[in-house]
Amino acid sequence: MTSKQRVYLKSPFNPRGGAFAAALCMILLLTACGDAAGRQNPSGEGGSQSVSAYGNDSSQTDPPSGEHGNGQGQEDSDPFSVQQIENGTSADGGISFMNLCGESSLDGYVRGLVIDFSKENPQYQVSYENASAPKDTVLMQVMNGAGPDLMCLKREDLENLQKNGALGDLYTVLDPEILDLFFPAAVQMGTYDGKLYGLPASVSLDCMVVNGAYWQQSSWTCEDVLGIMEEHPELKGPFIYVMGEDRYYYNLLMLFGQDVMNSPLVADGKSAFNTPFGKELFTLVKERSSEVNAAVPNGSGTNGIAEAILAGEYLGAYMSFYHLNTFGNIYNAFGEYFQPAAFPGQTEGKGYMRCSQYGMVAVNQASLEKPGVRELLNDFYSLESQQRVTYNNGGISIRRDVPESVIEYNAQADLYLWKGAGGNNLLLPKPENGEFYLDAFLDLAENTVPYPLHTDEMFDDIIMEEAQYYYESGKDLETVLETIDRRLQLYLSERGE
């Protein structure tokens, strides 16, 4: 997205990008419970860098959260060497694993698992590389049966590769007992026509937390929201975003921007913004949204958001969970009134599961039977490996058995501790209503659905680029909605929707 396309955002970040996710998690932790351990998620593109379990790599930078090669947050006594990679395949014929997500400084967790597997299984000589060639070049190699054996890639790229028959079916290489332990939404993210072409390296969860005084169900529609707002003029606005903002952008995002294709503003593949309902929706958001960024006192964080909702000022809030820790903070803030719900118009689930910045793990179709590929993939998603996913290096594991396997309760102190690999432990928020929140967390994770692909392009790059002229420049609403319909219909036609 270009800077021109983002002028409607009065902030230096993309609200759905990786850098925002890192800042969000840190703020939630710091403001809600005073935890000084925030997520470190630096972003940036990097050049080619491949490592193996043989020798020394002096150019390697430290991955996030103090991980050093082994992905366990502790110094490794056996450093690694640069191993040459030609066309995405290790020069000696071993297994190549490539990061195609463009986040070279965020790959410490994945890198650590790959390197440790290589050290423990030297017969396979696995190499790891951050792609140096343009991503499209590597993707074209994979389509032609070349390129890396395994890769981390964005969901959009996985979709395109599977359409071209370039990826292997993970059902044929993953052990059934491992597959049975994955959250359903994680499997759905990479499933096409009954075959599994990719799995998230780790995930996060998004949902609404609603005010039970106005709505008691786990799902609702945009029409429901409009009806409640009309019946209750005392409400300041529909929703608060996770950072405490209730500006028009965030309210539209929560009302229909999570899944534009299945919103009432797109009917049977036809853009329907310039309709009586579209006009009513946009008008209400303009009248009942704040003109400033902060809807709650600055620095009050999750507690301030919860207080505003429970006081009857808003219908609910958009919440993001990057770990059981952040879930516990929000659970405590809402107390007995904690009620997760789907986004308005969401037809399935109680919220969305998002792929983390590490992307989707996939296997080159040409490498499916290569010695060591099956072993590496099963090791990557083993319980021991997935226990290394934590709030400061990736988010949430896709295995439902991970949390219970690493949580330790200290009866004397009445505290819960997340026992991270290599001593990377995390104190969990103490339950304030006497009930531990693990079951509520697992229930949410089990009942999310994959975040819809391509909705960001439609919402950010088309709808909001035009909507800003109505909300910020006073342009006629009908003219704005006509333009949105025209541009969005062209987009849908080009995609064959």
Side-chain angles (χ1 to χ4, degrees):
M1 195 185 305
T2 65
S3 58
K4 175 181 178 296
Q5 292 169 323
R6 287 184 179 170
V7 295
Y8 54 84
L9 283 178
K10 306 297 185 183
S11 56
F13 48 73
N14 179 345
R16 292 192 275 196
F20 168 75
L24 163 63
C25 188
M26 181 177 290
I27 290 173
L28 285 176
L29 289 172
L30 293 177
T31 60
C33 68
D35 188 344
R39 282 182 82 227
Q40 298 181 9
N41 245 9
S43 62
E45 301 288 339
S48 173
Q49 179 176 302
S50 66
V51 294
S52 70
Y54 308 95
N56 186 15
D57 174 14
S58 60
S59 67
Q60 181 177 336
T61 58
D62 290 344
S65 70
E67 296 170 347
H68 296 269
N70 63 3
Q72 297 184 1
Q74 60 185 11
E75 194 71 41
D76 198 299
S77 59
D78 183 10
F80 317 110
S81 69
V82 173
Q83 176 174 307
Q84 294 299 317
I85 290 202
E86 300 173 356
N87 297 322
T89 304
S90 56
D92 59 5
I95 299 172
S96 59
F97 196 117
M98 184 178 289
N99 171 23
L100 292 172
C101 289
E103 301 284 358
S104 61
S105 60
L106 300 177
D107 65 350
Y109 159 66
V110 175
R111 173 197 299 271
L113 292 185
V114 174
I115 288 175
D116 282 0
F117 175 83
S118 181
K119 292 171 64 178
E120 295 165 7
N121 301 273
Q123 69 272 27
Y124 298 127
Q125 299 185 28
V126 184
S127 57
Y128 181 93
E129 180 186 18
N130 289 311
S132 57
K135 180 182 69 174
D136 289 346
T137 300
V138 179
L139 295 176
M140 186 59 67
Q141 291 175 349
V142 177
M143 288 183 189
N144 292 326
D149 299 313
L150 297 99
M151 64 208 90
C152 281
L153 68 169
K154 296 183 182 299
R155 284 182 65 196
E156 292 84 355
D157 296 325
L158 182 137
E159 180 185 60
N160 292 331
L161 288 180
Q162 67 82 25
K163 285 181 180 178
N164 288 274
L167 299 178
D169 184 358
L170 303 188
Y171 281 132
T172 65
V173 292
L174 276 169
D175 295 340
E177 57 268 27
I178 291 180
L179 284 163
D180 290 342
L181 290 166
F182 294 151
F183 291 121
V187 176
Q188 292 166 19
M189 279 191 205
T191 300
Y192 296 86
D193 298 323
K195 294 185 178 181
L196 182 62
Y197 294 106
L199 283 167
S202 56
V203 296
S204 62
L205 308 174
D206 289 1
C207 74
M208 300 293 294
V209 178
V210 304
N211 187 332
Y214 298 102
W215 191 257
Q216 296 81 39
Q217 301 178 44
S218 61
S219 63
W220 47 1
T221 65
C222 290
E223 291 87 345
D224 292 326
V225 175
L226 287 181
I228 296 170
M229 294 301 295
E230 291 172 358
E231 292 174 13
H232 296 278
E234 74 276 9
L235 288 166
K236 288 184 177 180
F239 304 118
I240 310 179
Y241 195 56
V242 69
M243 298 290 284
E245 293 151 316
D246 66 346
R247 295 183 67 242
Y248 72 86
Y249 172 89
Y250 299 102
N251 273 306
L252 292 177
L253 173 66
M254 288 177 270
L255 279 166
F256 67 86
Q258 300 296 300
D259 190 0
V260 176
M261 275 298 298
N262 292 307
S263 75
L265 300 175
V266 177
D268 300 322
K270 302 292 185 181
S271 182
F273 278 75
N274 191 25
T275 58
F277 179 79
K279 293 175 182 177
E280 183 181 5
L281 186 68
F282 273 63
T283 300
L284 179 137
V285 168
K286 186 171 188 177
E287 294 174 349
R288 307 283 281 274
S289 294
S290 174
E291 295 183 358
V292 296
N293 279 331
V296 297
N298 188 29
S300 60
T302 303
N303 290 329
I305 293 174
E307 290 172 5
I309 292 174
L310 297 179
E313 298 179 8
Y314 298 91
L315 293 182
Y318 182 132
M319 290 295 175
S320 294
F321 307 110
Y322 296 87
H323 192 265
L324 184 61
N325 180 279
T326 56
F327 185 90
N329 291 333
I330 294 169
Y331 185 91
N332 283 342
F334 282 87
E336 61 181 305
Y337 299 103
F338 178 80
Q339 182 180 337
F343 289 88
Q346 186 179 341
T347 56
E348 296 180 279
K350 294 181 180 179
Y352 292 114
M353 180 176 285
R354 290 177 179 267
C355 183
S356 73
Q357 74 272 8
Y358 295 112
M360 304 285 289
V361 177
V363 178
N364 191 322
Q365 171 65 35
S367 306
L368 201 59
E369 302 298 327
K370 194 169 186 177
V373 167
R374 174 188 296 269
E375 291 78 5
L376 173 55
L377 198 62
N378 280 283
D379 182 81
F380 192 98
Y381 288 105
S382 67
L383 178 60
E384 181 180 9
S385 293
Q386 289 295 296
Q387 287 172 340
R388 290 160 63 168
V389 182
T390 186
Y391 91 109
N392 62 351
N393 75 351
I396 299 168
S397 167
I398 68 172
R399 285 183 61 132
R400 64 172 61 89
D401 60 340
V402 165
E404 191 169 4
S405 73
V406 297
I407 292 174
E408 181 179 287
Y409 175 64
N410 186 311
Q412 184 174 0
D414 190 25
L415 295 173
Y416 290 87
L417 186 69
W418 184 282
K419 299 283 290 184
N424 190 14
N425 301 329
L426 178 67
L427 186 64
L428 296 174
K430 184 177 179 178
E432 294 186 0
N433 61 359
E435 181 181 350
F436 191 45
Y437 36 81
L438 176 59
D439 287 344
F441 172 80
L442 293 174
D443 178 73
L444 177 62
E446 288 281 353
N447 289 286
T448 54
V449 295
Y451 180 72
L453 277 176
H454 309 297
T455 198
D456 289 1
E457 300 170 56
M458 292 184 280
F459 185 77
D460 289 331
D461 296 359
I462 298 176
I463 297 168
M464 293 312 304
E465 186 175 318
E466 301 299 334
Q468 65 173 325
Y469 297 115
Y470 168 64
Y471 289 103
E472 298 185 10
S473 303
K475 193 172 183 179
D476 176 68
L477 176 59
E478 185 165 352
T479 301
V480 167
L481 295 182
E482 282 180 353
T483 305
I484 291 175
D485 276 339
R486 184 173 61 253
R487 291 188 60 190
L488 190 57
Q489 194 61 56
L490 177 61
Y491 175 89
L492 295 173
S493 299
E494 290 175 344
R495 288 192 51 80
E497 300 287 358

